[in-house]
Amino acid sequence: AKVAWLQQPDGKGGITTGAFQQVELMIKDSKTYASTEGWGWGRWRGDDLKPYGKDAAFQNECISCHEPVAHNDHVYTAPIGGAQ
């Protein structure tokens, strides 16, 4: 799971947390999500957590963004305490 905020320049050349943007979720299930290399995806945007995407096809957007880390099972970061 990932929570995302907009970037807010701090006036000193740094970036701080701005307004809340979205929550994203990845779930691994090779049988249910075989068409997206075993990953299911979800995204909820805005303060009202409106589901993102008109249908399940939005997952193509997710898998294409994660393609650069295909060698790491499409995961950008390791879980806390997880193997690196």
Side-chain angles (χ1 to χ4, degrees):
K2 177 177 97 174
V3 178
W5 290 267
L6 297 175
Q7 295 181 0
Q8 179 70 42
D10 67 5
K12 302 176 204 169
I15 301 291
T16 62
T17 304
F20 171 76
Q21 184 176 18
Q22 63 193 16
V23 175
E24 299 173 335
L25 177 71
M26 291 173 61
I27 185 168
K28 186 74 173 191
D29 184 326
S30 59
K31 292 178 184 175
T32 302
Y33 305 111
S35 67
T36 51
E37 300 187 42
W39 285 105
W41 313 81
R43 180 181 294 157
W44 298 265
R45 301 195 85 172
D47 291 333
D48 59 351
L49 297 176
K50 181 179 178 183
Y52 175 84
K54 295 179 182 178
D55 55 36
F58 89 92
Q59 294 188 46
N60 296 329
E61 179 183 327
C62 301
I63 195 71
S64 66
C65 191
H66 283 255
E67 197 59 37
V69 290
H71 65 280
N72 195 40
D73 198 22
H74 300 278
V75 179
Y76 279 96
T77 58
I80 295 174
Q84 304 249 347

